[in-house]
Amino acid sequence: MLGKKLVTAQKRGETRALCLGLGMVACSMMMYFFIGITIVPFYTKSVWTTETVCKLLKANIKDKVFCPNSEGSEDEEIFPYPCLQVWVNLTASGQEVMLYQTEDTLERNPKCSYVPDKLENSKEVKARIETIASNFKKYQTFPCFYDPGGTQTNVILSRLYPSKGLLFAFLWPTLMFTGGCLIIVLVKISQYVSVLSAWQ
């Protein structure tokens, strides 16, 4: 009687462990799919792939401009902010080009190097842009990214999805997938050992 209870409990434990392993594998597949349709396209679409050194030429704050309304967004998302324009000397080619914060900055407003998020406090936005301009003037040289193919003549300060960020995004689903497969393998080995011992 006790032996039957132990066998039943063992089978229940194996079933739960097997479900856990399969669930982890399924979740990791969903995470792979989500990363593949969200982050990977932005990473592959970016042409600013080569890092170089940029030297500041000028950083000017012009009159307020309006954040252009993107497709499908509401009118209330348009808001005025000071336009910061940063011009740098590209060490790789010696050209004078305009610097943008990220790839998204160029798409949102090609006239400005920095596009802030919508904030109700305009003084906070102005202070942030002035701080960014002063930091550029303080650090005359800094790393930046340019397009080696020449399709984009401007440069960006940082990529939205760098190579390290992409690898980090794939790290967690990989660990989950590995853990799930390991649990499934261990359950199968346990079942095989149980059957083998029963035959003996």
Side-chain angles (χ1 to χ4, degrees):
M1 190 71 179
L2 183 60
K4 289 183 179 181
K5 289 184 178 180
L6 290 174
V7 170
T8 304
Q10 183 180 3
K11 288 183 178 180
R12 287 179 180 175
E14 290 175 350
T15 303
R16 291 174 182 174
L18 192 62
C19 290
L20 175 62
L22 292 174
M24 291 174 66
V25 171
C27 289
S28 64
M29 290 293 112
M30 293 176 61
M31 292 174 68
Y32 278 129
F33 177 76
F34 180 76
I35 294 172
I37 63 174
T38 55
I39 299 178
V40 174
F42 286 104
Y43 175 79
T44 56
K45 189 175 70 173
S46 177
V47 295
W48 295 271
T49 56
T50 305
E51 185 175 357
T52 185
V53 177
C54 287
K55 186 177 181 180
L56 179 69
L57 295 176
K58 57 183 177 179
N60 299 327
I61 299 177
K62 295 194 172 183
D63 295 335
K64 287 187 176 181
V65 296
F66 285 89
C67 181
N69 199 8
S70 58
E71 296 182 1
S73 60
E74 299 178 356
D75 293 338
E76 62 182 15
E77 291 186 2
I78 303 177
F79 62 98
Y81 59 92
C83 182
L84 172 64
Q85 292 183 342
V86 179
W87 291 86
V88 296
N89 185 359
L90 188 60
T91 306
S93 61
Q95 295 177 328
E96 295 181 6
V97 294
M98 190 168 177
L99 175 74
Y100 296 93
Q101 184 185 12
T102 61
E103 301 95 330
D104 184 59
T105 306
L106 179 61
E107 293 182 1
R108 292 178 64 185
N109 191 351
K111 295 181 180 180
C112 303
S113 298
Y114 173 76
V115 178
D117 296 328
K118 183 179 179 182
L119 297 173
E120 298 297 334
N121 191 350
S122 59
K123 292 182 179 180
E124 185 178 346
V125 174
K126 183 180 179 181
R128 180 182 298 179
I129 292 176
E130 289 177 350
T131 302
I132 294 173
S134 63
N135 286 336
F136 275 117
K137 293 176 182 178
K138 182 179 179 181
Y139 303 100
Q140 294 289 317
T141 58
F142 44 85
C144 58
F145 294 89
Y146 74 100
D147 175 20
T151 56
Q152 291 286 347
T153 55
N154 41 58
V155 295
I156 61 174
L157 184 62
S158 60
R159 300 183 66 183
L160 280 174
Y161 301 103
S163 301
K164 291 182 179 179
L166 189 66
L167 291 175
F168 185 76
F170 278 107
L171 175 63
W172 296 111
T174 301
L175 292 175
M176 184 177 292
F177 178 80
T178 304
C181 291
L182 185 61
I183 290 174
I184 294 173
V185 170
L186 291 175
V187 169
K188 292 299 181 182
I189 291 175
S190 176
Q191 290 176 348
Y192 175 76
V193 171
S194 298
V195 172
L196 187 64
S197 62
W199 276 102
Q200 290 178 351

